[in-house]
């Protein structure tokens, strides 16, 4: 018998699965069905919600000043609650009396006092708690309303017929029958969770004191630096403004056990941003609907990739498509062909991004600020009920994919590393060309890097000051997001980077210093190979994608191993190739670029079929001259300006 089955059997012995005669519509996600006209609560869902609630309480318990308030008016639970609060060291007879008489959290900022000839009665705490735990939710709806008004997170037992108006105010609902046996089990879990965190905190303080004594005996700053770098990943957050970057090659290989990979993939939900129009490339519609290769668009690639994983491993990875007003309708039409696929696609429409003003002061609908997808995603999680739905489905990690990165992939190897090390936030980065050329061992070493050394987007000028580029491919832990939302630590308004100063853009917009990575306790970067980052921003990128340098396999871009250079060739196409239609007309077929280092094309240039480009090639036609590259031409380290140069 597995551990999971033992726990489920324990839940069943407490009658936690027995609901009411009626199951509210919003609570049917927690029910298994009806039996003898009684709704049956799904014990698996109860277990998931119990874990989420315990995780939140354990996080609060790490703060010695955290205030917990337990609300109970059921006489059957009195002894259980009293024993629990005494073990936790937070028992207060006055508070117990106060909640019996009615908890007035919101009457005023100070306690209400009633004087009589014989006694004084005090209602309401002086300071609001950090968490309210309600054991008899049905009887104490007023407490939930008051806690919600003060924005205090609520952990509560909920039954299958709870009204929506009360249920939506509970941050951590635990669907179960409030039997004495289950309440005892629930309080026992809270007690052990609380005491375990206090024990860890006490041990950590002793460990810190020991480290301070050890560090004071070091003879040089070099030894101190080595000591700091040898710390565990869990201490990453202590390095303010720094992030540990782990090479992709250092990750443990993915397991060969299909069941194990299925278990990992079942915890993932993919969020694909689809917020960019293709008007800059002369395409009338979303950029995700531009043909990449083999008749597939970037939207087709991500759907095919998830579909292949679901079929191969028998898992269930849903896709959330974040559209804008201008991309929503066209994307829905394109998705109609996947109506019978095994991929659950949830298209959502965001508000329009702020528009960038041109030099003349006019706003252009085609020029939008580069959106901070991490901030936009966290804003969605904070403002909608999507987070609760995903957690109830057993999802633990969200893979947030940029609208432009065509080569992003759902990687079980990365997911395994994050799950084993309890990483809350991970961004895939890749080293800049200049940094790669300077450091030959960069792929084999990991270390701490300043966030200011990671460019948010690929700079147009020199990359000397940047060591890495953010690929805009993120992995975020859903439970960590829930914690940030409930503790009010998630300040979306402070994450906006869509501001400009006169002249150059703010450093915050150029670098990852303003990244949401700083909100999370355990955050890392993974240095992925450069071929995992292919952005579709211009027709030069389209040339890369449609060439023999890449192929597709089950929705994933695969790079040609014959290309020795780890970096993609530098390609610069003139304004004659700017629009997709012009690009397609000027190439009979896409040239072979395996072995190409750089290509510059400008002027009235036309390519024949079967052209091969190698090394450094520059083709700049003189004004008024039509330069046609013949079929089968091989150009290696060539500078062409006139037909006679061919």
């Amino acid at each position: 018998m597995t551990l999971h089955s033992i726990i489920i059997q324990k839940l069943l012995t407490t009658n936690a699965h027995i609901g009411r005669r009626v199951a509210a519509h919003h609570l049917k996600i927690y029910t298994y069905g009806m039996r003898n006209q009684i709704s049956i609560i799904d014990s698996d869902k109860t277990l998931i919600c119990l874990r989420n609630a315990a995780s939140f309480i354990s996080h609060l318990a790490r703060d010695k000043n955290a205030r917990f308030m337990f609300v109970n008016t059921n006489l059957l639970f009195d002894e259980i609650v009293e024993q629990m609060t005494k073990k936790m060291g937070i028992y207060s007879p006055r508070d117990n009396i106060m909640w019996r008489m009615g908890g007035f959290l919101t009457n005023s900022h100070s306690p209400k006092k009633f004087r009589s000839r014989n006694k004084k009665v005090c209602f309401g705490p002086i300071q609001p708690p950090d968490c309210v735990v309600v054991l008899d939710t049905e009887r104490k709806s007023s407490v939930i309303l008051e806690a919600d008004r003060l924005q205090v997170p609520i952990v509560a037992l909920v039954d299958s017929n709870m009204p929506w108006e009360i249920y939506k105010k509970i941050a951590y609902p635990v669907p179960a029958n409030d039997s004495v046996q289950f309440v005892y089990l629930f309080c026992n879990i809270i007690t052990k969770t609380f005491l375990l965190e206090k024990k860890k905190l006490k041990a950590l303080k002793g460990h810190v004191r020991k480290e301070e004594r050890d560090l004071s005996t070091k003879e040089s700053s070099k030894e101190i630096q080595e000591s700091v770098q040898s710390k565990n990943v869990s201490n990453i957050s202590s390095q303010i403004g720094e992030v540990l970057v782990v090479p992709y090659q250092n990750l443990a290989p993915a397991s060969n056990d299909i069941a194990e990979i299925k278990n990992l993939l079942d915890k993932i939900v993919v969020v694909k941003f689809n917020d960019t129009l293709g008007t800059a490339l002369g395409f009338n519609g979303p950029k995700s609907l531009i043909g990449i290769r083999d008749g597939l668009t970037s939207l087709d690639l991500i759907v095919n990739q998830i579909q292949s994983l679901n079929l191969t491993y028998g898992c269930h990875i849903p896709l959330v498509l974040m559209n804008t007003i201008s991309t929503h309708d066209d994307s829905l039409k394109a998705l109609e062909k996947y109506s019978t696929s095994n991929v659950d696609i949830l298209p959502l429409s965001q508000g329009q991004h702020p528009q960038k003003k041109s030099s003349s002061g006019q706003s252009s609908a085609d020029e939008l600020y580069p959106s901070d997808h991490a901030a936009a995603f966290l804003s969605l999680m904070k403002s909608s009920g999507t987070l609760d739905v995903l957690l109830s489905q057993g999802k633990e990690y969200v893979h947030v994919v940029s609208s432009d990165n065509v080569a992003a992939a759902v990687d079980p190897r990365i997911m395994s590393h994050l799950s084993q090390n309890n990483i809350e936030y991970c961004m895939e980065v890749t080293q800049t060309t200049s940094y790669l050329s300077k450091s030959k061992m960069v792929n084999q070493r990991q270390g701490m890097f300043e966030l200011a050394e990671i460019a948010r987007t690929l700079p147009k000028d020199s990359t000397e000051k940047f060591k890495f580029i953010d690929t805009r491919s993120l992995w975020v832990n859903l439970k960590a997001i829930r914690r940030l939302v409930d503790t009010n630590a998630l300040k979306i308004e402070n994450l906006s980077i869509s501001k400009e100063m006169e002249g150059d853009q703010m450093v915050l917009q150029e670098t990852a210093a303003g990244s949401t990575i700083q909100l999370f306790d355990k955050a890392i970067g993974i240095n992925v190979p450069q071929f995992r980052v292919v952005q579709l921003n211009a027709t030069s990128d389209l040339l890369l994608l449609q060439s023999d340098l890449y192929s597709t396999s089950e929705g994933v871009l695969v790079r040609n191993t014959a290309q020795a250079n780890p970096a993609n060739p530098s390609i610069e196409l003139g304004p004659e190739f700017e629009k997709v239609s012009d690009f397609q007309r000027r190439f009979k077929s896409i040239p072979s670029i395996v072995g190409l280092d750089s290509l510059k094309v400008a002027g009235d240039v036309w390519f024949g079929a079967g052209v091969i480009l190698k090394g450094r090639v520059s083709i700049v036609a003189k004004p008024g001259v039509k330069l046609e590259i013949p079929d089968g031409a091989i150009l290696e380290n060539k500078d062409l300006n006139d037909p006679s140069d061919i």
Side-chain angles (χ1 to χ4, degrees), residues 261-263 265-266 306 309-317 342:
I261 297 180
K262 175 188 180 299
N263 184 47
L265 295 178
D266 275 333
I306 296 175
L309 290 173
N310 287 345
L311 288 173
T312 304
Y313 299 103
C315 57
H316 176 251
I317 304 176
N342 66 345

Side-chain angles (χ1 to χ4, degrees), residues 227-245:
S227 175
V228 172
Q229 291 180 351
S230 65
K231 286 186 177 180
N232 195 280
V233 174
S234 62
N235 294 326
I236 293 173
S237 59
S238 64
Q239 305 291 335
I240 300 176
E242 291 185 344
V243 60
L244 177 68
V245 177

Side-chain angles (χ1 to χ4, degrees), residues 618-622 625 627-630 634-635 637-646:
S618 174
I619 308 174
V620 180
K622 295 179 180 179
V625 176
L627 193 55
E628 297 184 9
I629 309 300
I634 300 177
L635 304 180
N637 297 321
K638 290 283 188 178
D639 289 328
L640 306 181
N641 303 105
D642 192 84
S644 60
D645 296 333
I646 300 176

Side-chain angles (χ1 to χ4, degrees), residues 314-331:
C315 57
H316 176 251
I317 304 176
L319 172 63
V320 178
L321 198 63
M322 298 290 293
N323 302 319
T324 59
I325 298 172
S326 55
T327 64
H328 190 65
D329 293 339
D330 290 335
S331 300

